[in-house]
Amino acid sequence: MTDVRAGVEYKINVDGNSFLLDSKKYQLLESILDTGSLTESAKLVKISYRTALNYIDKIESNLQVKIVSTSKGGKGGGGGTTLTEEGYSILKECKKINAIMELHKDVNEIEAEVLAIDESKGVMTVRMSSFDVNIPLNKNYVVGDKVLALISYDNIFLMLEPQKSSIRNIIKGTIVEMRLNNEIIRVNVDVEGVNIYSDITVSAEKELNLTIGKEIYIGFKAMSVATLKL
């Protein structure tokens, strides 16, 4: 199988100016914050000092803001490079994106077909195997389109009985596997031939008295589902 890896770029917008910040430039800003030195940061990121300067210049010229502040030391040194308020704000936004990505890095990938579109309610109905779920409306889709539904493991809720809540997608399934990893239990639920995973705490597992072979209900909000057109 081909080894496919996806890189991350952060689209930064400042007062109508935009720039795509790749992982190297993000790491450079992060290192400047940590070390207070452009020279040391360049070494940590494994680029030359000249390349680091070029990175900074590209970001600043495209966004039309200063992102670093450099001070010169005396004979004994003492100079350094720090992030400006704008530079820190850019880094903080990138860190927020990273935190969200880390939280949702494990996702269920389920092939589905668009069955119905309700523009008045802003939702679509898609069929996954032999069961239907509601997801947010995407106006680029039409009935019959094949899509890939993505649902984070931690957005799958487990319950013993259907409950009244804001969750609109509630489906019955059977537990086929349970694995413990660092105080988190990954539960594999067979839902009409589709394996759907949920991450829960050990205390939740004990409270629900979950076991392999037990019938339970899974639930997830429509807004927790992202889709890609196949």
Side-chain angles (χ1 to χ4, degrees):
M1 180 181 291
T2 303
D3 183 20
V4 179
R5 298 177 184 273
V8 175
E9 288 187 331
Y10 310 86
K11 186 174 183 180
I12 307 301
N13 294 287
V14 177
D15 295 332
N17 300 309
S18 63
F19 184 76
L20 284 177
L21 196 74
D22 61 24
S23 59
K24 278 284 187 182
K25 296 178 182 65
Y26 165 77
Q27 291 170 18
L28 180 64
L29 296 185
E30 189 174 40
S31 295
I32 290 173
L33 178 66
D34 292 338
T35 67
S37 166
L38 185 59
T39 301
E40 186 64 25
S41 296
K43 291 179 181 177
L44 291 173
V45 181
K46 298 181 180 179
I47 58 176
S48 68
Y49 181 78
R50 184 179 295 275
T51 298
L53 284 175
N54 185 47
Y55 281 178
I56 297 298
D57 181 64
K58 281 186 175 180
I59 299 170
E60 291 185 338
S61 61
N62 278 272
L63 295 179
Q64 294 296 300
V65 294
K66 291 291 292 181
I67 63 169
V68 299
S69 176
T70 302
S71 61
K72 294 183 179 180
K75 293 183 179 180
T81 301
T82 58
L83 296 180
T84 63
E85 182 178 344
E86 290 81 4
Y88 179 75
S89 295
I90 290 170
L91 180 62
K92 183 174 71 173
E93 289 304 309
C94 294
K95 283 179 173 287
K96 283 164 59 177
I97 294 171
N98 278 353
I100 293 170
M101 290 174 61
E102 182 65 23
L103 183 63
H104 299 288
K105 65 180 180 179
D106 293 321
V107 297
N108 292 286
E109 301 180 13
I110 309 169
E111 292 188 8
E113 179 182 348
V114 179
L115 288 185
I117 294 175
D118 189 335
E119 293 192 12
S120 64
K121 294 182 179 179
V123 298
M124 304 185 299
T125 301
V126 301
R127 173 154 292 172
M128 301 178 178
S129 183
S130 58
F131 60 93
D132 302 340
V133 300
N134 293 319
I135 65 174
L137 173 66
N138 186 321
K139 293 187 177 180
N140 294 320
Y141 296 166
V142 297
V143 172
D145 277 347
K146 305 293 184 181
V147 300
L148 184 66
L150 307 174
I151 317 170
S152 174
Y153 291 0
D154 58 317
N155 278 333
I156 301 291
F157 300 93
L158 303 183
M159 58 196 84
L160 300 180
E161 296 290 342
Q163 301 173 7
K164 288 186 177 181
S165 69
S166 60
I167 299 173
R168 289 294 175 261
N169 297 304
I170 299 178
I171 312 155
K172 191 174 184 179
T174 303
I175 297 175
V176 294
E177 183 184 18
M178 298 173 65
R179 286 184 293 167
L180 176 65
N181 182 24
N182 295 328
E183 298 303 314
I184 296 296
I185 295 178
R186 179 155 296 172
V187 183
N188 180 358
V189 182
D190 183 318
V191 180
E192 300 187 32
V194 177
N195 289 323
I196 298 180
Y197 294 86
S198 173
D199 284 346
I200 64 172
T201 62
V202 172
S203 59
E205 180 269 336
K206 291 180 178 178
E207 183 178 340
L208 295 173
N209 190 27
L210 301 182
T211 58
I212 293 176
K214 187 168 188 172
E215 290 189 342
I216 60 169
Y217 290 86
I218 68 163
F220 52 92
K221 294 182 178 181
M223 293 301 296
S224 68
V225 183
T227 58
L228 297 172
K229 190 174 180 179
L230 297 176

